[in-house]
Amino acid sequence: IPLNMAYAMLNRRLEKMAKNTDCPFISAEAGRMELLETAEVDAIQARADYKNWKTALTTMEQELRRAVEFGFNKEELAEARSNSISAAENAIKSWPTVKSEDVASAIAQSAAQDKVFTMPQEDWAISREVVENLTPEQCQAALKEAWTGAFPRVIVTSNKENSQGSAEIMKAYRESQTAKVQPYQADGRKDFSYKFGDPGKVMARTETTDLGVTQLTLSNGVRVNLKPTEFDKDSINIT
């Protein structure tokens, strides 16, 4: 759990970076995966325009090292914890309407991996105390352990040919390792940026009973189609 939370906070940083116009990568994420019940692999990867591969590689290496060396702050952990708790609570609420094929698939997967199948209620009962009492120091320690003593493989995949190949890749990686990193500086809290204007009033309502759809026309020009279902309990999907 501390490692999963550490990756959640690191990925949140990478997500924020990717929204900046000067970011060298389009998207990036880090995490741990299990390979054929043989090995656990910790990885950080990104998608970038080929011309930016060096700066993308440098940025990933330094952001990972920043998290390992300096850890995370309380605000970051509070956000990650809130997301984890919300996900657990939503999973419990939606369990009564989960699809049978999804349950069957989860049971079969658990059996294939020699694991015990558990319901969301059981998962949360097991993990709740750890999640609610987790500290930034525990998350940093877990991330540091995962990346200490490792022999990383650096892979650049592209349809462009590189005459220098691995030598240039490792040169860029080694140079990045020599750069000092500073503690993470979180952005200050900002006011909500989106202004939706004045609420519209319902000017027309049409009930399509055979489809169970209610169509609304609002005074601000917005048209709304409402369709209640019993598929997902306590959830609202907006398209």
Side-chain angles (χ1 to χ4, degrees), residues 69-110:
E69 291 184 12
F70 298 103
F72 308 93
N73 60 52
K74 293 180 180 179
E75 290 75 19
E76 289 179 294
L77 180 56
E79 180 183 6
R81 180 188 287 115
S82 177
N83 290 337
S84 179
I85 292 174
S86 295
E89 291 176 344
N90 290 336
I92 293 172
K93 289 180 180 178
S94 63
W95 179 251
T97 52
V98 68
K99 295 180 180 179
S100 299
E101 56 262 38
D102 292 339
V103 179
S105 177
I107 292 174
Q109 188 175 20
S110 296

Side-chain angles (χ1 to χ4, degrees), residues 12 16 73-80 82 184-193:
R12 183 70 174 121
K16 289 180 178 180
N73 60 52
K74 293 180 180 179
E75 290 75 19
E76 289 179 294
L77 180 56
E79 180 183 6
S82 177
Y184 178 72
Q185 297 295 326
D187 295 331
R189 294 184 64 87
K190 299 179 181 178
D191 293 334
F192 191 63
S193 300

